[in-house]
Amino acid sequence: MARRFGKIAIVASDAPEAQKAAANLVSRYGTHPPDEADAIVALGGDGLMLQTLHRFMGTGKPIYGMNRGSVGFLMNEFHENDLVDRLEEAERSVVHPLLMIAHDAAGMPHQARAINEVSMLRQTFQAAKLRVYVDGLVRLEELTADGLLVATPAGSTAYNLSANGPILPLNATLLALTPISAFRPRRWRGALLPDHARVRVDVLEADKRPVSAVADHTEFRSVTRVDIAMDRSVDLVMLHDPGHSLDERILREQFGY
């Protein structure tokens, strides 16, 4: 019987624990160049998983992560045994990234994609002042805050949760729009948006109150406007052991703190 993943590639973070695990797995199962592989086995933490998803974005290659890092929310438990069988039995989770287009003071656009969130952050001691549009309509005339973020369901348990944003089920057709340390309006706690919404954020008083825009780990500084929308043209595939799917982890997270 043909296997789904006849060729696997093993990649790892620079952490000694991850490098040691990679060497052991390669000796037992071998490895192929990532471009030739049917699946990628990523060893590390959530940071390595995000880097791997970004690296192979657009290829459709499924990523099976095993935790050899610190948090490992996106990862499976690490075991050296039965890797081939675990891959065959793994369940797929498909997510789409956010596309961010950030405009600088000269009006030049800069593009990046985010799997977790797009965030806008003050660059100095002064709070940012932001105007928020949703589908072309002004929904918040002026937000004074440390910043603002738009999170996907997959990223809702990351920075979004730390900023007191809601946890979203993976299959929810929603985005979380969450303020970061809002000063005015003081009672505004954010909004849930349909995932087809197009968000635009203008930076007010940009010269006096500079703001950076960050898509996961890609940052552009001193922006004046940021447009954010889900990019459905890109599928990101993660593999998880049965009973430990990303849906299950997100659900469990809501009862674990």
Side-chain angles (χ1 to χ4, degrees), residues 62-91:
I63 314 297
Y64 180 85
M66 285 199 287
N67 189 21
R68 292 287 81 184
S70 53
V71 180
F73 182 81
L74 298 173
M75 314 298 272
N76 298 287
E77 292 183 5
F78 176 77
H79 299 291
E80 289 188 11
N81 297 328
D82 305 320
L83 175 60
V84 174
D85 290 337
R86 290 176 73 185
L87 285 170
E88 291 300 315
E89 296 170 1
E91 299 171 348

Side-chain angles (χ1 to χ4, degrees), residues 225-242:
R225 168 183 165 183
V226 175
D227 295 285
I228 307 159
M230 182 170 282
D231 186 355
R232 295 185 174 280
S233 69
V234 177
D235 290 344
L236 300 168
V237 183
M238 288 177 281
L239 300 174
H240 290 97
D241 295 331

Side-chain angles (χ1 to χ4, degrees), residues 196-220:
H196 56 76
R198 306 186 71 84
V199 178
R200 168 181 162 183
V201 183
D202 288 352
V203 180
L204 309 179
E205 302 178 24
D207 292 338
K208 180 182 178 182
R209 302 170 183 270
V211 169
S212 64
V214 185
D216 283 350
H217 51 259
T218 302
E219 180 180 19
F220 302 104

